[in-house]
Amino acid sequence: MSRFSQDKAERAIAVVLRYGSLISTLIMALGLGLMLLRGPALSIPAYHRIRLSLLLPMLVRFDPAALTEFGVLLLLLTPLFRILVAMGSFALERDFKYVLISLGVLVTVLVSISFAIEG
Amino acid sequence: MVWLVTFHSSLIPGFLVSWPTRTQRRKAEIGCRGETCIRPAPTSAFGALHPLTMQLIELGILGLFAGAVGALTGIGGGLIITPVLTLVAGVPIHQAIGTSLCCVIATSSGAAASYVEHHLSNIRLGMTLELGTTLGAVAGALVAARLPREVLGILFAILLTYAGGTMVRRSLQAEGPESEEVANYTIRHLPIGLLGSGVAGVVSGLLGIGGGPIKVPLMYLVMGIPFKVATATSNFMIGVTASASAFIYYARGDVRLLITAPTAIGVFVGASLATHIMRRTPSRWLVRLFSLIMFYFALMMIWKSVQGGFAR
């Protein structure tokens, strides 16, 4: 593996880590800010599961609670994106042993996510 | 166009809209069962500070403190957030741990990014050990759900004591292992490393920390990884480890929107400020002071566990 391609992979991973948490924090702040601006009297849904069919339409309408929820979910998903980027870079380097290892980690996290998705 | 209109209507202060119909419609939309909904307030947000506003501000400030202390002492936010939330803010311990897991992802990411950019993290080693930490984290989170509050409190107190002791010992050492080779090293005892990572994952899933206090000594002392690389690689693994258990807490309803979001924002800002303003390592006395705080937290956690004083 060349130093150059590893550099690029490291930079891509750093970008995901840095901006993933930054963007999700900003979205959470926007959601909470809107919640306070509109008056705190809105009912806050008890999110126990990821219900995309409910979350997405509310997100389009800039619902404060849905925005905040989206920020939290994005934060929790940032590590998943990081695994995907690392896996992609291993694949580009044709280092298939580490593609498999990444896949193992990815599957474990996906199993964890499957607990949270409403079936 | 429709989108624009709805966007602007969402910016209109609440008192211009009739509350009951709005709230009822929203309840119907999101299937809110009532008990977890915030009660409609009679006044607007521009009047006296609403309890929700107070809660957000309070949690934001606590998060700011926890994030700054975590970054300054290098122990990460996880060990501070849970005691602060349970002891100061009266948050139920399971929800505090769920919140802590989310905050740990937010705080570790910034540091992890710069370690990766400086080629200090061993990404391949990190990914391999993550096999252990994620499996452990899922198991730990599933077990934590079945443990009573008091048991978690006592386990957390043990962890705090251990971490506080580590900090004291480190502050007593003459010099840290600074001038060592970070490029050439051979990884030893990988199977033990994987097993140990599993244990670190279980602890992380149980108690909502990143697992750094276990992974760093494991890599440094057992696997022969240079200290700096061990720290950087451990940090690299925190996010994935935490998210593997965070979703299980989320599924159980222990990631509460109005607790997690303000705390996470505070922790993120606090950690960023601490790392950018104070670039130097903290003085030994500061580290010792914070280790005293951790011993105090440990005592309080045991006291609360024995008294049964944890919030439900």
Side-chain angles (χ1 to χ4, degrees), chain A residues 43, chain B residues 18-30 40:
Chain A
S43 62
Chain B
S18 81
W19 282 118
T21 43
R22 246 192 119 75
T23 313
Q24 277 162 7
R25 199 178 61 213
R26 215 156 276 277
K27 274 191 180 180
E29 274 172 1
I30 52 196

Side-chain angles (χ1 to χ4, degrees), chain A:
Chain A
M1 115 202 91
S2 69
R3 181 76 238 177
F4 177 70
S5 66
Q6 199 185 338
D7 262 7
K8 269 191 6 195
E10 284 178 337
R11 216 168 302 147
I13 289 171
V15 164
V16 170
L17 287 172
R18 185 159 287 147
Y19 291 102
S21 54
L22 181 67
I23 290 170
S24 41
T25 309
L26 287 178
I27 293 176
M28 280 190 273
L30 179 70
L32 289 184
L34 278 179
M35 209 182 280
L36 292 179
L37 200 69
R38 293 174 70 172
L42 294 177
S43 62
I44 305 303
Y47 286 104
H48 285 218
R49 298 281 195 273
I50 304 168
R51 297 184 217 177
L52 288 181
S53 56
L54 287 172
L55 191 64
L56 286 180
M58 290 172 75
L59 215 54
V60 175
R61 283 186 282 119
F62 261 68
D63 181 90
L67 265 178
T68 317
E69 183 67 17
F70 180 67
V72 171
L73 283 177
L74 202 63
L75 183 66
L76 293 186
L77 287 173
T78 300
L80 186 85
F81 299 139
R82 198 270 276 155
I83 300 174
L84 288 174
V85 170
M87 198 164 95
S89 76
F90 293 142
L92 284 178
E93 288 170 21
R94 310 204 154 271
D95 191 345
F96 294 114
K97 182 185 160 195
Y98 281 92
V99 172
L100 267 182
I101 288 175
S102 313
L103 197 66
V105 177
L106 185 70
V107 167
T108 315
V109 175
L110 286 177
V111 166
S112 168
I113 293 176
S114 75
F115 280 92
I117 290 180
E118 183 152 89

Side-chain angles (χ1 to χ4, degrees), chain B residues 196-248:
Chain B
S197 301
V199 174
V202 171
V203 174
S204 169
L206 268 180
L207 302 176
I209 58 158
I214 297 170
K215 281 180 291 182
V216 174
L218 176 79
M219 281 190 261
Y220 176 54
L221 298 174
V222 179
M223 300 181 69
I225 315 289
F227 190 77
K228 275 184 183 170
V229 179
T231 311
T233 307
S234 161
N235 209 305
F236 176 75
M237 292 154 65
I238 286 174
V240 170
T241 310
S243 85
S245 34
F247 281 105
I248 292 167

